[in-house]
Amino acid sequence: MTRSVGQTLRARLEFASATNARGRHARAAQLYRTLLADLEEPAFATDPDKSYAHVRALIGLAISRFEYEGDVDRSLDLLEEARAWVEAHGPEDLQLVVGGQRGLLRLRTGRVVEAVEEMDAAARFIDVARPLDAAVLLLNRGSLHLELGNLGRAESDLAEVVRRAEDLGDALLASKAQHNLGYAKYLGGDLPSALRDMEEAERGAPDRHASVGLIDKAQVLLEAGLLSDADATLAEAREHLARNRMVRDVAEVELLRAQCLVGLRRYAEAQRQARAAAARFDRIGNDPWAARARVAELQARLAEDRSVGVSIGVARRRAARALALADVGTSLGAAVGRGVTVPAQLLAAEWFLAAKDPAGAREVLSQVPGHLGRVALPLRLQHQAVTAQLAFAAGERGAALRAVRRGQRMLAEHREGVGSVDAITASAVHGVRLGHVDVAAALRTGRASALLDAVERGRATVAGSGRVRPPSDVESAELLTRARQEIESARLLGANPSGERLERRRTHLSEARRLQEAARRRAWQEGGGAATPTAVTARRLRSALTSRSSSTVVADFVVADESLRVLRADASGLSMVRLAPMVEIGERIRRTRADLDVLANDLIPAPMRAAARASLERGLAWLDRELLAPIDAQGDLHVAARDLLLAVPWSSLPSRVGRRTWVNSWIDLQEAAPVPADPDVVVVAGPGLRAAEAEAEAVAGAWGSATLLSGEDATCAATIERLPGAGVVHLATHGKHETDNPLFSSLRLADGPLFAHELDGVDLRGAVVVLSACEAGLSSVRIGGEPLGLTSVLLRLGARAVVASVAPLRDDVAARVMPEFHGELRAGATPGEALATAVASEDEPVPLVCFGPLAL
């Protein structure tokens, strides 16, 4: 069939547009120029499609030339030529298209106010425009309103786009609008809903659009504190964008990566990324975003200065550079420059403080609005941190503490909006700087009470669980079931396979990791609802210890200035003791763990075991002398600690043998309550342990009445189903701590591993949970200081105590200790007392630790 002239023109326009969309901008521009030249031929003089094709070709030429030349003025001239042609020759409906493209071009060069004006003018023709053109204009205008923070107007435009796209049957357009509605929810502070909408929009979106959407998704993850995930998302986006030569979007990826890398403490790399982004934005004439990239470079520089120090002269020069950048932001206008001016002013203020110039800092800070509105959480927290730092420096402690508390309320409001333990613990990264300012000022006072208050203020802000019930997500459950099956398939191939079996094992484990990550991402999309707990104060702690006639000593360990300090509290008062450097203590802890690993291995020859035993005893004695002797705890001891100190086998230190000792990552002060006389007891025996079933039967026998799951009945689903409402839970299984992915630390049951992730939201309030498994008491520390692992998840879900091992636990030791522990517990002992009694008679140190809140 012979094509009509009109069909040929449209085909050529579509081909040129597709060429431009694939990133071949110079080739597309050539196609548009050829088409414009051909339209001058006499054959097209009376063609009714000539005006349409002429205007579309001018628009396409303007956009493609901008993409590869970055000459915004020349592109605007071409669009002005298109406008004049429409006014002279029609068709009228293209007035909307020309105006919309002028607005879009101004948006891409950062001139958002002018862009809105252009699009509002173009919208006058919406009733005569073609349906698709009208929907595209509304999509772009909605995006502009997002840029300006006009969420109501943005959501109105974008919802209308979804409606029109559905009428047109245009899945791509609907996907773009749905994605932007998700971004609007992000700007409104609802991160779980934002991720849910973006994930929905991503499904079925073509490669080019999906990669652009990944940029916004990464920004949401960045604000959530999920820095590594944001960085991985940006890496994926950059690969697609670079292939399509989308210069502006590649530059935005580099800018966001710089911000991620600052949080990940990779400062030099962050500065390189920011400089590369600024150079790209400069090439396309996008001054506002180039300025934002330079702000990101200075943020990385300041973070590096904080870590290594900076001279007064250098600090002054950098403050001047930041102020010059703030002036650039001011020149761009209030709406466009808001992402430049305020961040640059905060950077300048902090460098003035580093230069010992509080007056200069105060002058700059006075120009920052007191309320920053809907700007990103990290910037609002930085504002409060700098405000507090200045007030502390000026001796205005009350004002400084008010700024600290404002910042912590912001962080608490954020964590109450997210749901998963993963997202809650990740958000702690944003409070690091605020906490450092607070703790540093408290140290300068020399008062133990001030330091305890500062430390516990920061720790409580992201403590506790975000969910009051587990999410009902069939897809997540299916993902984890499949992950479990992949891990079991890998296990059946053996621990040390070779050749083809090794490759199959790797494939199974790789697929399991992919499925786990997919389930983890879905968990971010669930909201929370639980309140932030109240931080303990020195006054409240002393009052509780005194009023209850407690003989308990509370030891709150704090790492600052590379040294370890301990805050000792009891009924008589509070004091502070400086201990050894943390690097030395950390090395001793690692040696002790290595010795425990050797002793737990029955296959190690006797001479090596004897050497490990002697080394372990020396290490435990050293830790006892350096950590506990200075606090002289003769009775009960509650340890609050972070990082490697959570891996210390506290109950095995010589001075703690036979004495109640329990540990937590913060001082969670609670009312003590005895274990009920007749609690619901759940006992589970996992496969592959010689003494697991005998141990489980003995534990169940200690209670007289218990639900016992063993053999094929001890499945993950059956175990989870029985956890809510249980007063005592005992799990005799293989355990595995995943250092680099702690939410998938697991306990092996009949159908495979039960992941910590699966427990998120299970109600364990008041339960005593015993993990009779190797290393189940270990945790990994996220940037921000939050521990994450099986034990920490159980405590966040409300468990009153978790007894777990911080090193390999031999089967025969567990079989002896556990029934005795439960017998003591049933007789009325607290979990810490029961553990102390159960392990006291063991010949070798037992690495079991009682974790739990400070219950008095």
Side-chain angles (χ1 to χ4, degrees):
M1 181 182 292
T2 303
R3 282 184 174 182
S4 68
V5 173
Q7 287 174 325
T8 299
L9 288 175
R10 291 177 191 277
R12 289 176 70 180
L13 283 170
E14 288 173 3
F15 180 72
S17 177
T19 301
N20 196 44
R22 289 196 297 272
R24 300 180 63 192
H25 306 302
R27 173 60 177 156
Q30 182 182 5
L31 291 170
Y32 285 123
R33 279 192 295 266
T34 302
L35 180 55
L36 286 166
D38 289 348
L39 286 170
E40 298 301 316
E41 296 294 327
F44 292 101
T46 59
D47 191 277
D49 290 308
K50 176 178 178 177
S51 282
Y52 177 85
H54 189 95
V55 175
R56 286 288 189 180
L58 283 170
I59 292 171
L61 180 58
I63 298 304
S64 57
R65 287 192 63 166
F66 170 75
E67 291 291 354
Y68 79 90
E69 290 181 347
D71 188 341
V72 64
D73 292 332
R74 176 58 184 144
S75 294
L76 287 172
D77 287 344
L78 287 166
L79 291 173
E80 185 57 36
E81 184 180 340
R83 186 202 297 274
W85 181 279
V86 172
E87 289 176 350
H89 306 286
E92 185 186 20
D93 64 291
L94 288 181
Q95 290 278 23
L96 176 140
V97 180
V98 174
Q101 288 297 333
R102 284 175 62 87
L104 187 60
L105 190 59
R106 294 192 187 279
L107 170 63
R108 289 181 66 78
T109 54
R111 293 145 70 178
V112 290
V113 175
E114 295 172 44
V116 169
E117 292 171 354
E118 293 276 10
M119 289 190 183
D120 283 345
R124 294 189 311 233
F125 300 94
I126 205 164
D127 292 333
V128 299
R130 302 181 187 205
L132 179 59
D133 291 337
V136 169
L137 176 76
L138 290 170
L139 176 67
N140 291 333
R141 191 172 70 173
S143 301
L144 273 169
H145 285 307
L146 290 178
E147 189 83 6
L148 290 167
N150 301 329
L151 300 190
R153 294 185 66 182
E155 289 173 343
S156 175
D157 276 354
L158 295 170
E160 179 65 12
V161 175
V162 172
R163 186 188 69 78
R164 289 173 181 253
E166 290 173 349
D167 289 343
L168 290 167
D170 192 324
L172 172 59
L173 193 61
S175 170
K176 289 180 177 180
Q178 185 70 40
H179 174 87
N180 286 356
L181 281 169
Y183 194 75
K185 289 178 180 174
Y186 153 68
L187 292 175
D190 186 353
L191 271 60
S193 294
L195 288 168
R196 188 163 56 247
D197 283 0
M198 288 179 178
E199 190 83 19
E200 181 181 338
E202 192 177 329
R203 295 193 189 102
D207 180 66
R208 185 174 184 274
H209 170 57
S211 57
V212 175
L214 288 173
I215 299 175
D216 291 339
K217 184 177 178 182
Q219 189 166 344
V220 178
L221 294 173
L222 175 60
E223 180 146 349
L226 295 156
L227 304 182
S228 296
D229 300 284
D231 194 39
T233 300
L234 290 168
E236 180 184 353
R238 194 189 193 289
E239 181 181 344
H240 294 296
L241 295 168
R243 190 164 57 240
N244 289 318
R245 296 180 61 188
M246 299 170 72
V247 176
R248 192 266 181 204
D249 296 307
V250 169
E252 190 172 351
V253 165
E254 289 168 334
L255 169 56
L256 282 173
R257 278 211 73 216
Q259 294 170 348
C260 287
L261 293 167
V262 171
L264 294 169
R265 299 170 186 170
R266 291 154 60 184
Y267 306 128
E269 191 177 349
Q271 290 171 63
R272 287 194 298 272
Q273 288 284 310
R275 284 194 293 270
R280 290 185 198 275
F281 284 127
D282 281 336
R283 283 201 297 274
I284 61 173
N286 194 329
D287 295 336
W289 280 83
R292 290 186 185 188
R294 292 187 173 93
V295 167
E297 182 186 353
L298 290 186
Q299 286 171 331
R301 178 75 69 182
L302 176 61
E304 186 175 44
D305 285 351
R306 291 192 198 117
S307 66
V308 300
V310 61
S311 70
I312 288 177
V314 170
R316 284 189 177 280
R317 289 195 294 273
R318 289 181 179 160
R321 185 180 170 195
L323 284 179
L325 197 49
D327 289 341
V328 171
T330 301
S331 70
L332 293 169
V336 181
R338 64 194 174 98
V340 176
T341 305
V342 170
Q345 288 169 333
L346 295 176
L347 291 167
E350 190 160 348
W351 265 313
F352 274 127
L353 287 169
K356 312 298 183 187
D357 184 0
R362 189 178 298 277
E363 181 181 352
V364 174
L365 205 54
S366 68
Q367 301 169 34
V368 178
H371 181 65
L372 296 181
R374 288 195 178 101
V375 302
L377 176 66
L379 184 62
R380 286 183 282 137
L381 291 175
Q382 183 184 5
H383 182 206
Q384 299 307 321
V386 176
T387 300
Q389 193 177 357
L390 175 59
F392 279 130
E396 301 165 356
R397 186 167 176 78
L401 292 178
R402 285 192 293 275
V404 169
R405 292 186 180 108
R406 280 195 301 271
Q408 288 172 340
R409 280 196 300 273
M410 292 173 188
L411 189 55
E413 288 168 4
H414 165 84
R415 59 84 70 207
E416 288 167 14
V418 300
S420 68
V421 167
D422 193 16
I424 291 169
T425 55
S427 67
V429 69
H430 296 314
V432 169
R433 181 58 188 158
L434 194 68
H436 284 172
V437 169
D438 195 11
V439 168
L443 278 170
R444 288 194 296 271
T445 69
R447 301 199 312 269
S449 59
L451 183 56
L452 188 143
D453 288 354
V455 167
E456 294 304 319
R457 267 196 298 269
R459 289 176 177 176
T461 305
V462 289
S465 176
R467 268 199 272 268
V468 293
R469 62 182 181 279
S472 178
D473 186 346
V474 175
E475 186 171 337
S476 286
E478 173 61 22
L479 287 167
L480 291 174
T481 297
R482 288 164 55 198
R484 202 172 357 260
Q485 291 167 349
E486 294 290 342
I487 290 173
E488 281 298 283
S489 297
R491 186 183 62 82
L492 292 173
L493 291 170
N496 297 296
S498 59
E500 184 264 345
R501 288 170 66 87
L502 174 61
E503 190 57 36
R504 283 168 54 200
R505 185 174 187 274
R506 287 173 175 166
T507 299
H508 284 305
L509 292 177
S510 176
E511 178 63 7
R513 183 60 178 264
R514 186 191 70 79
L515 293 164
Q516 289 171 344
E517 286 302 306
R520 181 169 163 257
R521 288 194 298 272
R522 288 189 66 82
W524 301 336
Q525 300 169 23
E526 295 289 338
T532 303
T534 301
V536 73
T537 63
R539 179 178 296 180
R540 182 168 161 240
L541 176 60
R542 284 192 57 193
S543 175
L545 291 167
T546 303
S547 63
R548 294 166 203 177
S549 301
S550 173
S551 62
T552 299
V553 170
V554 176
D556 195 352
F557 288 91
V558 182
V559 178
D561 302 329
E562 300 182 353
S563 292
L564 183 65
R565 291 171 174 80
V566 62
L567 301 168
R568 182 195 189 280
D570 64 10
S572 65
L574 176 65
S575 60
M576 175 169 52
V577 182
R578 186 164 185 156
L579 305 176
M582 189 59 209
V583 65
E584 187 177 354
I585 292 170
E587 179 57 33
R588 292 284 183 164
I589 294 171
R590 282 185 280 270
R591 286 188 207 169
T592 297
R593 281 189 35 75
D595 292 335
L596 285 166
D597 289 349
V598 172
L599 286 179
N601 190 338
D602 292 333
L603 301 179
I604 296 293
M608 289 183 62
R609 286 175 54 82
R613 171 71 180 271
S615 174
L616 175 61
E617 289 178 351
R618 288 194 301 271
L620 293 174
W622 189 94
L623 290 171
D624 199 23
R625 182 173 65 252
E626 296 297 327
L627 298 180
L628 294 186
I631 63 174
D632 189 28
Q634 299 299 317
D636 293 346
L637 173 66
H638 177 70
V639 172
R642 291 291 179 100
D643 302 329
L644 269 176
L645 293 169
L646 289 173
V648 173
W650 293 95
S651 298
S652 297
L653 299 186
S655 68
R656 301 311 303 164
V657 173
R659 293 172 173 171
R660 180 191 183 199
T661 309
W662 72 116
V663 183
N664 201 11
S665 61
W666 61 297
I667 301 178
D668 182 9
L669 184 57
Q670 296 185 8
E671 291 284 340
V675 174
D678 189 23
D680 288 335
V681 179
V682 176
V683 184
V684 181
L689 291 173
R690 293 191 305 272
E693 292 203 12
E695 176 187 327
E697 289 173 359
V699 168
W703 288 99
S705 175
T707 298
L708 177 59
L709 300 176
S710 61
E712 294 183 356
D713 294 332
T715 64
C716 298
T719 300
I720 293 174
E721 181 184 353
R722 287 164 176 78
L723 291 181
V728 176
V729 177
H730 183 95
L731 298 157
T733 68
H734 278 296
K736 184 177 183 181
H737 176 70
E738 296 285 356
T739 302
D740 62 339
N741 200 14
L743 275 177
F744 289 95
S745 298
S746 60
L747 301 169
R748 187 177 158 215
L749 297 180
D751 54 344
L754 171 64
F755 305 116
H757 177 90
E758 294 178 87
L759 303 175
D760 197 356
V762 174
D763 187 357
L764 291 174
R765 283 174 292 184
V768 175
V769 182
V770 182
L771 304 178
S772 182
C774 291
E775 299 186 339
L778 290 178
S779 58
S780 296
V781 179
R782 305 192 84 143
I783 295 177
E786 288 302 301
L788 198 57
L790 270 166
T791 297
S792 67
V793 168
L794 293 168
L795 290 173
R796 283 179 176 272
L797 298 177
R800 61 172 293 188
V802 178
V803 174
S805 182
V806 295
L809 181 67
R810 288 210 321 263
D811 292 355
D812 62 311
V813 174
R816 289 194 302 272
V817 167
M818 291 307 178
E820 186 172 355
F821 168 83
H822 283 277
E824 293 291 328
L825 198 63
R826 186 182 186 188
T830 65
E833 291 168 340
L835 179 62
T837 300
V839 302
S841 59
E842 286 295 311
D843 179 53
E844 292 183 354
V846 179
L848 287 167
V849 176
C850 181
F851 296 92
L854 174 58
L856 296 174

